[in-house]
Amino acid sequence: MNIEPSRKMSIFEPAIFGDLKAAAAAKQAAGYEVYDLSLGSPDLPPDEKIRKVLSEQSFSEHSYGYMLTGTKRFNEAVANYYKRRVNVTLNPQTEILQTMGSQEGLVHLPIAFCNEGDIVLTTNPGYVAYDAGIKLAGAVPYYMNLTEENGYLPDLAAIPEEVAYKAKLMILNLPGNPVPAMPNHAFFEKVVAFANKYNVIILHDAAYSEFYFSGDTPSSFLTTPGAMEVGMEINSLSKSFSLAGTRIAYLVGNAEMISIMKQLKSNLDFGIFSPIQEAGITALNNAEEITDRLRQLFAERHKVLMQGIMDLGWTVAPSNGGMFVWAKYPYDMDDKEFAFEVIRQTGVVTVPGTVFGSEGAGFVRLALVQDVETLKKAVEQLKTLNLETCATLVNN
């Protein structure tokens, strides 16, 4: 039998994460300790209250039917969360849509709004799911480079007029993955003005909004005047509440845009397991207590890893939030070769920067997914790195 993949499958390149895991496993099998800072999967368990609700609801014999969409209670919990946390008022019926994790929503988003050949403004580097969705829709990405000179924020003024007028959608992610740049109101005001001028839909990926280490509340694009008229925000319970495996997230924002996404999703799935929705409600209703405790832990991890990497002489993107450290290493070496050599020599697992786009050349991403003592050990291991035989120091 001649089995051939569709032509569309050519847009999906093999993920490097399996190769990184295999290299780490080989190092561990040889008797060495491994410090995995690759995947941004929370290492901490969900709060006990969340786990208890999930357990109790899963035992109920009435919990196993199709759900079709988010429950009224879940949508109301999201609306209450936004009102409490960022003082944004949302209509639970028309301005909130549950998704099966943020990646599902992100990949399907361009399909709902873009025709073949439409331009989508996205960042370089950027989260890999953005490109997947753009290419599935047959749209064309235009990359807004994230550079140190611009504070790792997209330079909207650098987008050519002819590109801006043709663009259909802009995807932002602040604080981001892999670059944990923090948003500010002035930047979001520019985004709203840009959207109005060029008739561009804005999608802000707020998956890391609760990972802020100064200030009083998370940042939300929807707090910007006019944001509800031009866009949406997607948020996930994966990071903020350690619920990565449950795959539960939501889109909020412009009612007409939400309606279009709702129509698409009604043809794709039958909703999220009701006990997971109940666990999500518990998480959202107790967000202040849960995220405050989580944030204290991650703030300490962030401080330790940031300082440790800088002490090695690496250049680190300034950040005061997010779940990652974005670091430029001082060696003249391909980032993928570098990442595997680091595993071989030290057991520290990072992600090569070019996985997230060409602007990631010379960088690696390190995730804050180990406790402080493990992070300190990882930094000590990185101090032993010796690349004289396979790379030249940039400054030599």
Side-chain angles (χ1 to χ4, degrees):
M1 183 177 183
N2 184 23
I3 300 174
E4 294 183 357
S6 70
R7 286 189 295 273
K8 196 173 284 288
M9 281 300 296
S10 65
I11 70 176
F12 299 111
E13 296 181 3
I16 196 174
F17 293 99
D19 294 335
L20 292 170
K21 290 289 186 185
K27 181 73 174 177
Q28 196 167 35
Y32 295 93
E33 191 167 357
V34 167
Y35 310 88
D36 193 346
L37 309 182
S38 58
L39 283 180
S41 180
D43 60 304
L44 301 169
D47 186 271
E48 184 177 351
K49 288 186 290 294
I50 300 173
R51 288 182 281 126
K52 184 177 180 181
V53 167
L54 182 57
S55 175
E56 291 173 349
Q57 292 290 322
S58 296
F59 188 74
S60 170
E61 62 185 29
H62 303 295
S63 295
Y64 290 85
Y66 289 130
M67 295 306 299
L68 299 181
T69 186
T71 64
K72 181 174 181 286
R73 279 171 40 77
F74 179 83
N75 286 8
E76 288 174 347
V78 172
N80 290 335
Y81 169 83
Y82 261 75
K83 187 63 178 177
R84 294 194 326 269
R85 299 298 279 151
V86 295
N87 197 30
V88 168
T89 301
L90 296 168
N91 184 321
Q93 292 182 309
T94 61
E95 295 174 337
I96 298 171
L97 175 65
Q98 190 178 90
T99 67
M100 292 181 160
S102 60
Q103 182 152 326
E104 180 262 306
L106 289 164
V107 171
H108 288 143
L109 182 83
I111 297 173
F113 294 99
C114 297
N115 297 312
E116 287 197 13
D118 281 345
I119 291 176
V120 178
L121 305 172
T122 185
T123 59
N124 180 6
Y127 182 43
V128 293
Y130 306 150
D131 258 15
I134 293 167
K135 292 173 181 176
L136 273 175
V140 179
Y142 178 87
Y143 295 109
M144 304 177 290
N145 292 341
L146 303 182
T147 64
E148 183 179 0
E149 294 73 26
N150 206 49
Y152 294 100
L153 294 173
D155 184 358
L156 303 183
I159 300 170
E161 285 266 308
E162 62 270 22
V163 171
Y165 277 114
K166 291 179 181 177
K168 188 73 174 290
L169 175 68
M170 178 190 291
I171 302 174
L172 299 172
N173 178 209
L174 297 162
N177 175 12
V179 188
M182 298 296 289
N184 55 63
H185 288 296
F187 175 73
F188 278 155
E189 286 171 355
K190 291 179 183 178
V191 171
V192 171
F194 184 96
N196 281 317
K197 180 177 180 180
Y198 298 108
N199 195 41
V200 176
I201 295 169
I202 306 299
L203 186 282
H204 178 233
D205 180 0
Y208 304 94
S209 60
E210 285 284 2
F211 285 78
Y212 60 94
F213 306 137
S214 66
D216 299 325
T217 59
S219 60
S220 168
F221 171 63
L222 298 185
T223 62
T224 312
M228 288 286 290
E229 283 70 52
V230 301
M232 298 173 288
E233 193 159 72
I234 191 165
N235 208 335
S236 167
L237 279 70
S238 294
K239 316 298 184 183
S240 300
F241 302 101
S242 299
L243 286 168
T246 64
R247 311 312 303 143
I248 183 167
Y250 53 84
L251 272 165
V252 294
N254 182 278
E256 187 175 356
M257 298 175 193
I258 293 293
S259 176
I260 292 169
M261 282 295 294
K262 191 178 294 185
Q263 181 181 350
L264 173 66
K265 276 189 60 62
S266 70
N267 288 276
L268 297 178
D269 62 67
F270 285 94
I272 294 172
F273 187 38
S274 66
I276 291 176
Q277 295 200 44
E278 289 298 317
I281 292 166
T282 301
L284 292 165
N285 288 345
N286 294 274
E288 288 80 358
E289 173 194 346
I290 295 169
T291 60
D292 281 355
R293 186 166 59 247
L294 192 69
R295 197 160 36 250
Q296 290 175 17
L297 288 169
F298 275 85
E300 181 63 20
R301 293 180 182 189
H302 178 262
K303 179 181 177 181
V304 166
L305 189 57
M306 284 276 289
Q307 189 59 55
I309 295 298
M310 288 190 291
D311 288 346
L312 294 174
W314 298 18
T315 302
V316 177
S319 67
N320 200 21
M323 199 177 182
F324 305 101
V325 170
W326 182 245
K328 186 174 181 63
Y329 51 86
Y331 306 99
D332 185 15
M333 188 175 186
D334 173 82
D335 58 294
K336 291 181 181 178
E337 292 179 4
F338 176 76
F340 284 102
E341 185 63 22
V342 169
I343 295 173
R344 190 184 70 80
Q345 287 195 31
T346 71
V348 178
V349 190
T350 66
V351 182
T354 52
V355 167
F356 307 99
S358 60
E359 288 295 308
F363 287 82
V364 291
R365 189 195 75 177
L366 304 95
L368 304 173
V369 292
Q370 301 288 350
D371 60 39
V372 166
E373 291 308 311
T374 302
L375 293 176
K376 288 179 179 178
K377 291 178 182 178
V379 171
E380 288 301 311
Q381 283 297 106
L382 289 173
K383 288 180 181 178
T384 68
L385 193 61
N386 180 1
L387 299 180
E388 289 183 2
T389 59
C390 54
T392 304
L393 280 171
V394 170
N395 294 327
N396 283 359

